[in-house]
Amino acid sequence: MQIQRNDELRYIDIWLRTEEPTPDLADIRQRFPNYDIAVWHSGHRDLAELTGQLLKVNC
C-alpha cells in the first residue's frame, strides 16, 4: 500500500495491489475530514487495450 497526501489540494490517494484489502476509510475520513479520498487498485488487464477503448468512447 502506498498513500500520497496533497495538503495544498486537500486530497489523499491510496494505491493498493490487487491482493491488498481496502483500508478502513472511516478512520482516514475522521483524521482528514475535508479531504477527498481516492482508492486505486492495480489490475491484470492490458493497459494499452483499455486506453484504446477509452479513446474510442470519448471521440
Side-chain angles (χ1 to χ4, degrees):
M1 176 182 354
Q2 181 180 3
I3 299 175
Q4 296 175 333
R5 187 176 83 199
N6 185 316
D7 293 322
E8 183 179 319
L9 297 175
R10 302 186 69 80
Y11 71 82
I12 297 172
D13 284 334
I14 301 172
W15 300 87
L16 301 171
R17 291 184 182 100
T18 303
E19 66 277 355
E20 288 182 301
T22 302
D24 183 13
L25 295 180
D27 181 49
I28 297 170
R29 285 189 185 107
Q30 185 177 18
R31 292 176 55 199
F32 302 97
N34 296 319
Y35 280 66
D36 292 322
I37 301 170
V39 178
W40 305 91
H41 297 268
S42 64
H44 297 288
R45 296 180 61 193
D46 183 13
L47 182 59
E49 178 186 336
L50 293 173
T51 302
Q53 291 173 2
L54 180 63
L55 290 171
K56 287 179 186 177
V57 169
N58 288 329
C59 286

